[in-house]
Amino acid sequence: MKFLKIFLLFFIFNLTVFANSVIFVKNIYPHEKKGFFNALKKLLLGKRDLQAKPFAIGVLSNGDVVVSDVDKGMVLLLTADGEIKKVVSRVGKIPLATPVSIWIDKKDNIYIVDSVRKGVLKFDKDLSSARILIADNSKRFTSLCIVDNFMFLTDTENHKIACYSLEGKFIFSFGKRGIKEGEFNYPTAISTDGNFLFVLDSLNFRVQVFDLKGNFLRKFGKLGDGSGYFSKPKGIAVVNGKFIAVTDVVFDNVQLFDKTGNFLTFFGKNGDCEKCFVMPSGIFSQNGLIYICDRWNQRISIWRVEAENE
């Protein structure tokens, strides 16, 4: 009993310390540029409905933010303060349907998964040019990440992870539907630290970890309503190469784990207050900052993990 009390005190102390190390930074709201010429342009061209509900997110090396709105089928390029620089709703004559996932590579190329179009699009950093990398009606991709020269995608309806070259050539896949280790039940999100793949196995309510060849390594999480459990996990990101952050649209929060799956802390709660979320979905991390799509509050919530607890 004495040992248990000491362990619990140690556990609570560390949770408290870690909770204090996740700091709210700010919320940014996508908004159009103000001023006379912009007002005149809107008057002449007609007002566009750009009130976005951010679903997926990526951040460029200069701090510009890329978000998607799946309801309106558009992708927005924002300044770090949320001012809209560009909006894309089609590639050539093909309209975007459901841009559900964004990944930014080291050269600031922007990769977007369009799940309804069953493909992957590659844009330059200005969203000024694009090409179709993958178009495959036999698959339903919902998320991607890139390691070196390879793309890893969640093929949700086939319960697999698919690996492609950056030119869109299929290389291999792994997984099948099931509940055993290495099997999936609708995998919907994926992220990486450059060495391992972290797959959100949504309807098995867990995260599974693989090496880059698809070999199962470990898992964590299960269905529940307590800390470290999942109810409807939506997005996943690797933070500082050391922590795993998972959004959950039922809890309206973000849970943070270490890379072995130990629960560390959570932040956020339901509501429209400064540090609240409603339906948090896509998540992206860069330079210690965590960017979260606070979808129904129509904003991007930014948090920071302090370095001393890494």
Side-chain angles (χ1 to χ4, degrees):
M1 182 61 73
K2 184 178 180 181
F3 174 78
L4 179 60
K5 288 181 178 178
I6 293 174
F7 172 78
L8 287 174
L9 287 172
F10 178 80
F11 181 71
I12 292 170
F13 172 77
N14 277 283
L15 279 186
T16 303
V17 171
F18 206 95
N20 290 335
S21 70
V22 183
I23 308 299
F24 172 77
V25 177
K26 64 179 180 178
N27 291 312
I28 61 173
Y29 295 81
H31 61 276
E32 293 186 79
K33 185 177 181 180
K34 297 179 181 178
F36 171 77
F37 290 106
N38 194 54
L40 179 62
K41 181 179 176 182
K42 289 167 61 177
L43 181 65
L44 294 173
L45 299 179
K47 187 175 181 180
R48 297 177 297 174
D49 180 11
L50 299 178
Q51 295 297 311
K53 292 189 178 77
F55 186 87
I57 187 167
V59 181
L60 297 169
S61 60
N62 65 358
D64 283 356
V65 179
V66 184
V67 297
S68 70
D69 183 322
V70 294
D71 296 329
K72 296 177 180 175
M74 63 182 185
V75 176
L76 297 88
L77 177 62
L78 313 172
T79 67
D81 293 324
E83 185 178 287
I84 298 172
K85 298 175 71 174
K86 190 159 188 174
V87 180
V88 172
S89 58
R90 54 196 316 117
V91 176
K93 296 181 180 180
I94 303 174
L96 290 174
T98 312
V100 292
S101 179
I102 297 171
W103 187 268
I104 312 286
D105 71 12
K106 294 179 180 178
K107 297 180 179 179
D108 276 345
N109 294 304
I110 301 166
Y111 297 77
I112 294 173
V113 175
D114 189 328
S115 64
V116 171
R117 298 293 178 194
K118 302 179 185 297
V120 178
L121 307 166
K122 180 181 178 182
F123 291 80
D124 66 8
K125 65 180 181 180
D126 301 318
L127 290 179
S128 57
S129 66
R131 65 187 179 104
I132 299 173
L133 289 181
I134 302 172
D136 188 341
N137 286 328
S138 68
K139 298 179 173 60
R140 183 70 176 262
F141 301 122
T142 54
S143 181
L144 90 162
C145 67
I146 293 175
V147 183
D148 298 328
N149 295 317
F150 303 100
M151 286 188 288
F152 294 90
L153 295 112
T154 53
D155 181 5
T156 301
E157 290 187 346
N158 292 311
H159 312 281
K160 293 178 180 291
I161 304 301
C163 177
Y164 287 78
S165 72
L166 293 186
E167 296 303 314
K169 180 182 178 181
F170 175 78
I171 298 176
F172 72 96
S173 66
F174 59 91
K176 63 178 182 178
R177 190 170 194 179
I179 61 174
K180 297 179 180 177
E181 295 176 347
E183 297 178 343
F184 303 107
N185 192 11
Y186 291 97
T188 56
I190 188 169
S191 191
T192 183
D193 61 355
N195 296 306
F196 304 103
L197 304 172
F198 300 85
V199 180
L200 196 53
D201 185 13
S202 293
L203 291 188
N204 281 329
F205 308 97
R206 64 188 181 185
V207 173
Q208 295 201 71
V209 186
F210 300 86
D211 65 20
L212 299 182
K213 295 181 179 179
N215 296 307
F216 171 84
L217 299 176
R218 57 187 178 274
K219 62 183 180 181
F220 60 89
K222 59 182 178 180
L223 178 62
D225 59 5
S227 297
Y229 291 76
F230 300 123
S231 183
K232 195 170 183 180
K234 202 68 175 179
I236 187 169
V238 178
V239 181
N240 286 351
K242 297 183 177 180
F243 309 114
I244 310 302
V246 179
T247 60
D248 196 303
V249 298
V250 171
F251 300 155
D252 285 322
N253 69 11
V254 180
Q255 297 193 81
L256 203 64
F257 303 84
D258 67 20
K259 287 172 66 174
T260 59
N262 296 309
F263 172 77
L264 298 174
T265 189
F266 74 90
F267 53 93
K269 61 180 181 180
N270 174 265
D272 59 2
C273 72
E274 188 178 61
K275 301 177 184 178
C276 294
F277 301 110
V278 180
M279 302 282 283
S281 53
I283 183 169
F284 187 88
S285 181
Q286 182 185 78
N287 298 328
L289 295 176
I290 308 173
Y291 299 76
I292 302 137
C293 293
D294 186 8
R295 192 178 179 203
W296 286 95
N297 284 324
Q298 296 185 285
R299 64 191 182 188
I300 298 153
S301 182
I302 305 175
W303 298 67
R304 183 178 70 248
V305 176
E306 296 287 80
E308 57 267 27
N309 284 295
E310 293 178 15

